[in-house]
Amino acid sequence: MKYIKLLCSTFCFGLLLLVTYYIHVRFFKVGVVFYSALFDAVIASILALIIVNSLKWFRGFTSFEKLQLLLIWLLLGYSFAISVPTVIDRSLSFYILEKMQQRGGGIKLADFDQVFTQEYVKEHRLVDVRLTEQQQSGTIIIKDGCVKLTDWGQTLATSSRFFRNHFLPKQRLLMGTYSDDLTDPFRNSPAKVDYICQ
């Protein structure tokens, strides 16, 4: 019987998550999609826990089981936040599919660079979105027209470069050829540029 109650309470959480998320994105301001969806997951988890504590039918759960349920819901909410709205909001792969559909189902391979540099960046306000996310995350500050890394940003950049260099595939398929190009994408970056600021 507890398994049925667990499934019903988790289904209830799922419905609450979807409703909370929908209300949030339709009627309230959102700073960062991922953080917003995480907040919705916390709200839905708390509401589901209140329902489980309030209804007699769910009273068979011990305090420890309720804590486990809460943790499961939070993990499910995290999975939803990162796998659905965040992926759709940020995904270049979905953009490619949507752009191809917009252009009648096909785009010349030779013109994909143009699509990314001249359409994707503008249509998705990519620079604005990413800079806003980084400011909200505390990894950058913008001062006097200069975007600067914070100490937290330096730490994350160092960590991600380490992971990229040591734990991403050394033989990754890129357009028919296996390559390690993406383990060190700055390998062929120009040495001198004119956009550095202090």
Side-chain angles (χ1 to χ4, degrees), residues 29 92-93 97 104 120 129:
K29 293 180 180 178
L92 182 55
S93 299
L97 297 176
Y120 177 53
V129 168

Side-chain angles (χ1 to χ4, degrees), residues 26-44:
R26 291 291 291 171
F27 303 108
F28 294 92
K29 293 180 180 178
V30 171
V32 176
V33 171
F34 176 60
Y35 296 156
S36 167
L38 281 180
F39 181 68
D40 298 335
V42 171
I43 290 173

